[in-house]
């Protein structure tokens, strides 16, 4: 029950609202009255009316029989847009308020004005502008005006019934504003059309061209022209066209062709177009580098350089630079130059053409290598019978040396990169024409090198025989095959070197020491040198006779012959000879015992020295007398109380004797008087055993010790000398 009053109140409010709506619908705004309707633009009509009280907006309607266009506006005047040009419309208006919309007003007719012509403008020249347009519907004439866009200067205005019009006598490169409209038969103007157009610029003046011959580039400058936005420089030749563009008053054209004549012109341009070309300036570029360059060495030391003629070339300069840095050149209007050259050089050759524009570009650089120089200081450092060693100073340009030795049809050669050569397997005592050719890979061999005559050393002689004459002179013979040779024979051994010389086939040498072995060789010598030694032949001289021959009596029947050893002697033969006979001894030692010697006889002693090869030296003879025979019958007798006498029997021949007694108490000696065969020894001690020996005494005073010895005992009787008793015989020591 509590919600009852609220429900009733809501129903009351809704009823009041509905009542108001009914009252409002019954009081819509008044119908407006159109005062006037007119068109100023070809797509719209403007309507003017008196304001309707209570109206909040107005609805304008334009009808042409085909279409209806409505526009809502807030108040008068109002404009209907989106209409067709030059078209008659029925215009009505309705007022609108919150209470609703009024009925349409009485219609009023209005016609839209003509459409604006669509302009196409251009500047056919620097002082004119051409204005063109399409025909405009319902138009019978057109009005076109022009003035500078900056507002300066006069205004040109022209009326025409055509669809184009040209304005002349304008300022070049100037921006103009063009305005045009059409009118109808009633003279009512239509929409106007406005656009800007600039006149094209005038051609640039005062064209200046400079040429960079090295870069083949032309730099072009000019006086700026009014209204130009951009400049184009053209270089036109018979075969090509090149250009450059810039916004400045200078421009460079690169990559021009050498040997070409160009016409240089400049065009100025802006948004209206380009000017006419300026008066062309003629540019002749540098000539091209001469082609078909040929290089010839017509004779050693003379280079000829030739080339083909080139367009625009006034004269030529040929440069020749050697690899040591020296450069020469020649100036000529012809197509050939001659230069002096040297062997072993590489020359770098370039040819340039010249004209007023400068030097031609660098063409191909040619190189020409002359033949290597010939060695001039060939020095044979060694000349032998079958070999020649040569050296020389290195020469310019030589990479290899070819050495050839010619003797008749025989050719010996050697190749080497070093400045030296050894020619082997040559013939001895032969004249060779030796030529050293220098070689380079580029130019080959220098065949102008002169030969040199070299004679090899003589051939080795061959020793045919060696003989010895009765004077111990050595004679050597050999076989000679050389011309004008001198031969030297050398005998060399441990005891020295001996030589003889001859220009023939034999020579003799003396004074060689005995007991020596020599190696004998022969060498031939000429002005060319010495031959190798011949094969050696061994030579042995006779053995030397020993020195210090000595004969010693060993026993009465044996002697010993001794000597010093002689060189190379292997065997000695000793001969002892007398009227009684001969005794001989052969030994390898330095002494020999000879027996069966008869005492007291004169002998001759001969000695032969024999080498191992059988060579014999007959050494000098020496006389020798054998010793006196030992005495016989030696006896001892008592003499008084303290002495004894020694008797003996002398041998044949005269001799001196000496008697010796050897005892433990001393040695006692006595010698007989001349002609006697006894001697006495006094004061001899008794009671001792004595060895008694009687020996002959040689002329030298030497006593022989090989005679027989006897032993005697001497006894004592009291204080006196006792008996002498023979005890026996003692061998000689």
């Amino acid at each position: 029950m509590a919600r009852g009053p609220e429900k009733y109140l809501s129903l009351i409010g809704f009823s009041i609202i509905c009542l108001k709506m009914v009252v409002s619908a019954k009081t819509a705004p008044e119908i407006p009255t159109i005062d006037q309707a007119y068109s100023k633009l070809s797509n719209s009509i403007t309507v003017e009316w008196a304001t309707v009280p209570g109206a909040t907006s107005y609805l304008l309607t334009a009808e042409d029989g085909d279409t209806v266009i409505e526009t809502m506006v807030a108040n008068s005047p109002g404009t209907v847009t989106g209409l067709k040009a030059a078209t008659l419309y029925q215009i009505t208006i309705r007022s609108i308020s919150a209470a609703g919309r009024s009925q349409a007003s009485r219609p009023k007719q209005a016609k839209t004005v003509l459409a604006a012509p669509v302009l196409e403008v251009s500047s056919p020249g620097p002082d004119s502008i051409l204005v063109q347009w399409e025909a405009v519907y319902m138009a019978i004439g057109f009005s076109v005006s022009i003035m500078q866009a900056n507002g300066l200067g006069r205004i040109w205005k022209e009326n025409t019934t055509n669809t184009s019009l040209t304005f002349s006598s304008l300022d070049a490169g100037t921006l103009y504003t063009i305005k045009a409209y059409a009118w109808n038969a009633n003279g009512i103007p239509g929409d106007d059309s406005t656009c800007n157009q600039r006149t094209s610029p005038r051609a640039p003046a005062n064209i200046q061209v400079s040429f960079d011959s090295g870069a083949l580039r032309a730099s072009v400058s000019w006086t700026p022209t009014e209204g130009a936005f951009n400049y184009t420089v053209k270089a036109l030749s018979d075969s090509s066209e090149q250009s450059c563009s810039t916004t400045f008053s200078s421009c460079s054209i690169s990559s021009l062709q050498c040997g070409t004549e160009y016409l240089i012109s400049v065009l100025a341009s802006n948004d209206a177009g380009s000017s006419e070309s300026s008066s062309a300036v003629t540019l002749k570029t540098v000539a091209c580098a001469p082609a078909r360059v040929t290089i010839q060495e017509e004779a050693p030391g003379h280079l000829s350089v030739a080339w083909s003629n080139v367009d625009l070339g006034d004269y030529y300069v040929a440069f020749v630079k050697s690899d040591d840095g020296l450069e020469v050149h020649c100036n000529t209007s012809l197509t050939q130059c001659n230069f002096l050259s040297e062997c072993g050089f590489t020359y770098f050759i370039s040819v340039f053409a010249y004209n007023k524009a400068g030097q031609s570009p660098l063409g191909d650089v040619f190189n020409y290598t002359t033949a290597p120089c010939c060695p001039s200081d060939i020095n044979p450092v060694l000349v032998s019978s079958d070999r020649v060693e040569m050296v020389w100073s290195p020469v310019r340009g030589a990479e290899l040396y070819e050495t050839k030795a010619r003797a008749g049809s025989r050719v010996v050669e050697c190749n080497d990169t070093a400045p030296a050569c050894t020619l082997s397997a040559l013939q001895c005592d032969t004249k060779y024409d030796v030529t050293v050719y220098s070689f380079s890979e580029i130019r080959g061999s220098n065949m102008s090198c002169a030969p040199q005559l070299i004679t090899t050393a003589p051939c080795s002689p061959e020793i045919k025989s060696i003989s010895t004459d009765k004077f111990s002179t050595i004679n050597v013979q050999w076989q000679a095959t050389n011309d004008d040779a001198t031969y030297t024979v050398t005998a060399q051994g441990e005891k020295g070197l001996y030589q003889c010389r001859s220009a023939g086939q034999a020579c003799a040498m003396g004074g060689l020491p005995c007991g020596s072995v020599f190696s004998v060789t022969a060498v031939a010598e000429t002005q060319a040198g010495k031959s190798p030694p011949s094969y050696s032949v061994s030579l042995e001289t006779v053995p030397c006779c020993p020195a210090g021959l000595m004969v010693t009596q060993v026993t009465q029947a044996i002697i010993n012959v001794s000597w010093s050893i002689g060189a190379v002697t292997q065997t000695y033969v000793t001969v002892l000879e007398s009227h009684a006979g001969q005794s001989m001894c052969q030994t390898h030692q330095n002494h020999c015992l000879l027996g069966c010697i008869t005492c007291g006889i004169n002998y001759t002693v001969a000695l032969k020295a024999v080498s191992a090869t059988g060579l014999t030296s007959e050494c000098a003879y020496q006389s020798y007398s054998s010793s006196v025979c030992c005495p016989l019958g030696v006896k001892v007798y008592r003499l008084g109380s303290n002495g004894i006498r020694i008797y003996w029997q002398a041998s044949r021949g005269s001799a001196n004797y000496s008697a010796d007694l050897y005892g433990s108490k001393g040695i006692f000696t006595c010698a007989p008087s001349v002609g006697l065969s006894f001697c006495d020894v006094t004061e001899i001690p008794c009671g001792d055993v004595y060895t008694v020996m009687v020996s002959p005494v040689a002329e030298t005073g030497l006593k022989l010790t090989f005679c027989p010895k006897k032993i005697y005992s001497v006894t004592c009787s009291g204080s006196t000398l006792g008996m002498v008793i023979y005890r026996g015989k003692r061998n000689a020591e």
Side-chain angles (χ1 to χ4, degrees):
M1 294 297 290
R3 298 178 52 93
E6 295 178 1
K7 182 177 180 182
Y8 289 124
L9 290 174
S10 298
L11 290 173
I12 295 172
F14 178 76
S15 299
I16 294 172
I17 294 172
C18 291
L19 180 62
K20 288 183 177 180
M21 293 179 62
V22 172
V23 173
S24 297
K26 293 180 179 180
T27 57
E30 295 178 359
I31 299 173
T33 300
I34 298 174
D35 294 332
Q36 61 176 342
Y38 55 88
S39 174
K40 290 186 177 181
L41 296 177
S42 61
N43 65 345
S44 66
I45 293 176
T46 300
V47 182
E48 295 182 3
W49 66 90
T51 301
V52 175
T56 58
S57 61
Y58 300 92
L59 179 63
L60 298 179
T61 302
E63 296 182 46
D64 64 352
D66 294 327
T67 59
V68 176
I69 297 176
E70 293 181 341
T71 301
M72 187 75 71
V73 297
N75 47 38
S76 179
T79 301
V80 181
T81 60
L83 307 181
K84 301 175 185 177
T87 301
L88 181 64
Y89 285 91
Q90 293 285 341
I91 305 300
T92 61
I93 186 170
R94 298 171 188 269
S95 61
I96 299 173
S97 68
R101 176 185 301 181
S102 71
Q103 295 294 318
S105 66
R106 290 175 63 88
K108 195 173 185 67
Q109 290 187 342
K111 191 176 186 177
T112 54
V113 297
L114 301 181
V118 180
L119 302 180
E120 292 182 7
V121 293
S122 61
S123 176
D127 61 349
S128 63
I129 290 178
L130 171 63
V131 184
Q132 295 175 302
W133 56 90
E134 294 292 335
V136 176
Y137 176 67
M138 297 298 291
I140 64 170
F142 300 92
S143 178
V144 182
S145 62
I146 187 171
M147 65 177 297
Q148 291 186 13
N150 57 11
L152 301 178
R154 56 172 287 189
I155 298 176
W156 287 270
K157 186 175 182 180
E158 297 287 343
N159 292 327
T160 181
T161 58
N162 297 323
T163 56
S164 65
L165 185 65
T166 299
F167 292 94
S168 58
S169 301
L170 303 180
D171 293 338
T174 302
L175 182 63
Y176 284 87
T177 298
I178 298 97
K179 186 176 181 181
Y181 59 89
W183 67 84
N184 58 20
N186 298 323
I188 299 173
D191 287 348
D192 58 36
S193 178
T194 303
C195 64
N196 290 331
Q197 175 64 45
R198 192 183 305 273
T199 53
S200 59
R202 295 189 185 280
N206 194 23
I207 308 300
Q208 301 291 327
V209 180
S210 62
F211 181 68
D212 185 344
S213 60
L216 287 176
R217 182 175 61 239
S219 295
V220 184
S221 63
W222 55 88
T223 301
T225 186
E226 182 67 30
F229 294 170
N230 192 53
Y231 299 93
T232 300
V233 179
K234 292 184 179 181
L236 182 63
S237 70
D238 293 337
S239 60
S240 66
E241 178 179 342
Q242 290 175 272
S243 63
C244 67
S245 296
T246 181
T247 58
F248 301 102
S249 60
S250 63
C251 188
S252 294
I253 299 178
S254 302
S255 303
L256 297 178
Q257 295 178 353
C258 58
T260 304
E261 183 173 335
Y262 287 93
L263 294 177
I264 306 295
S265 61
V266 183
L267 283 78
S269 62
N270 55 21
D271 52 358
S274 299
S275 69
E276 296 179 353
S277 296
S278 63
S279 297
V281 176
T282 300
L283 170 65
K284 291 182 179 180
T285 61
V286 293
C288 294
R292 298 196 295 276
V293 177
T294 59
I295 304 164
Q296 291 182 335
E297 192 173 9
E298 297 177 349
H302 296 276
L303 282 183
S304 174
V305 182
W307 55 89
S308 60
N309 201 5
V310 296
D311 294 337
L312 303 184
D314 295 339
Y315 64 95
Y316 303 91
V317 178
F319 293 89
V320 175
K321 186 175 184 179
S322 60
D323 51 14
D324 64 351
L326 182 64
E327 184 177 69
V328 295
H329 68 276
C330 85
N331 246 334
T332 181
S333 58
L334 305 176
T335 58
Q336 180 175 343
C337 273
N338 296 315
F339 297 90
L340 295 177
S341 62
E342 296 184 41
C343 58
F345 275 107
T346 296
Y347 292 93
F348 300 94
I349 300 164
S350 54
V351 182
F352 294 91
Y354 288 83
N355 58 20
K356 293 181 180 180
Q359 174 184 289
S360 69
L362 175 64
D364 293 333
V365 178
F366 299 88
N367 63 71
Y368 185 88
T369 301
T370 55
C373 298
C374 292
S376 59
D377 57 346
I378 300 173
N379 180 25
V381 295
L382 173 64
V383 177
S384 66
S385 297
D386 62 349
R387 186 163 50 98
V388 173
E389 294 181 10
M390 298 180 298
V391 296
W392 56 86
S393 298
V395 295
R396 240 183 358 256
E399 300 171 357
L400 182 73
Y401 299 95
E402 299 175 332
T403 304
K404 293 185 179 181
R406 290 184 175 86
S409 61
R410 178 178 171 82
V411 178
V412 178
E413 62 180 272
C414 73
N415 299 332
D416 205 334
T417 57
C421 178
T422 299
L423 294 167
S424 305
L426 303 179
Q427 294 180 340
C428 56
D429 195 38
T430 303
K431 292 180 173 61
Y432 285 91
D433 283 330
V434 180
T435 307
V436 180
Y437 301 98
S438 52
F439 175 87
S440 68
E441 185 176 357
I442 296 177
R443 198 55 57 201
S445 296
N446 187 344
M447 304 305 295
S448 66
C449 299
Q452 179 175 343
L453 183 64
I454 297 177
T455 303
T456 53
C459 304
S460 297
E462 181 183 358
I463 296 177
K464 291 297 185 182
S465 66
I466 300 177
S467 61
T468 305
D469 61 15
K470 63 181 179 178
F471 302 106
S472 298
T473 299
I474 306 299
N475 295 300
V476 183
Q477 290 184 328
W478 58 85
Q479 181 178 355
T481 59
N482 302 298
D483 296 332
D484 300 327
T486 300
Y487 298 87
T488 300
V489 178
T490 301
Q492 186 169 9
E494 293 181 355
K495 294 186 177 180
L497 183 145
Y498 299 84
Q499 289 181 329
C500 64
R501 289 181 174 83
S502 172
Q505 297 184 3
C507 72
M509 67 178 78
L512 273 69
C514 60
S516 300
V517 177
F518 292 90
S519 176
V520 180
T521 57
V523 174
E525 184 175 3
T526 63
Q527 290 183 349
K530 293 183 179 181
S531 73
S534 66
Y535 293 116
S536 64
V537 177
S538 180
L539 169 65
E540 180 183 348
T541 58
V542 295
C544 296
C545 289
L549 184 66
M550 182 179 295
V551 181
T552 305
Q553 192 90 27
V554 179
T555 67
Q556 185 170 282
I558 299 173
I559 64 171
N560 181 52
V561 182
S562 62
W563 55 86
S564 61
I565 293 294
V568 304
T569 303
Q570 183 174 352
T571 304
Y572 295 95
V573 179
T574 306
V575 179
L576 185 65
E577 191 172 11
S578 72
H579 65 279
Q582 186 186 68
S583 179
M584 185 174 65
C585 172
Q586 182 172 335
T587 182
H588 297 296
Q589 299 176 349
N590 65 336
H591 62 88
C592 190
L593 291 176
L594 295 172
C596 302
I597 302 300
T598 302
C599 57
I601 294 179
N602 289 329
Y603 288 90
T604 58
V605 182
L607 183 64
K608 294 181 181 179
V610 183
S611 70
T613 59
L615 293 177
T616 302
S617 289
E618 300 286 345
C619 299
Y621 290 93
Q622 180 175 335
S623 62
Y624 174 73
S625 297
S626 61
S627 65
V628 179
C629 298
C630 290
L632 302 174
V634 177
K635 296 179 180 179
V636 178
Y637 298 94
R638 181 175 180 177
L639 277 182
S641 57
N642 57 354
I644 62 172
R645 175 168 289 180
I646 303 169
Y647 287 94
W648 61 86
Q649 182 182 346
S651 62
R652 62 181 179 274
S654 59
N656 295 324
Y657 296 91
S658 173
D660 297 305
L661 287 81
Y662 302 92
S664 62
K665 297 180 180 181
I667 299 174
F668 301 93
T669 302
C670 68
S673 300
V674 177
L676 298 179
S677 57
F678 66 90
C679 67
D680 298 331
V681 178
T682 61
E683 302 297 332
I684 185 172
C686 62
D688 198 358
V689 177
Y690 291 93
T691 298
V692 178
M693 184 178 65
V694 179
S695 304
V697 179
E699 293 179 356
T700 60
L702 180 65
K703 286 190 283 185
L704 302 178
T705 61
F706 50 75
C707 291
K709 297 179 178 66
K710 292 185 176 182
I711 300 174
Y712 293 90
S713 176
V714 180
T715 63
C716 293
S717 178
S719 60
T720 62
L721 181 64
M723 293 297 291
V724 176
I725 302 171
Y726 175 63
R727 293 291 185 93
K729 194 178 208 179
R730 187 175 183 181
N731 293 330
E733 295 177 355

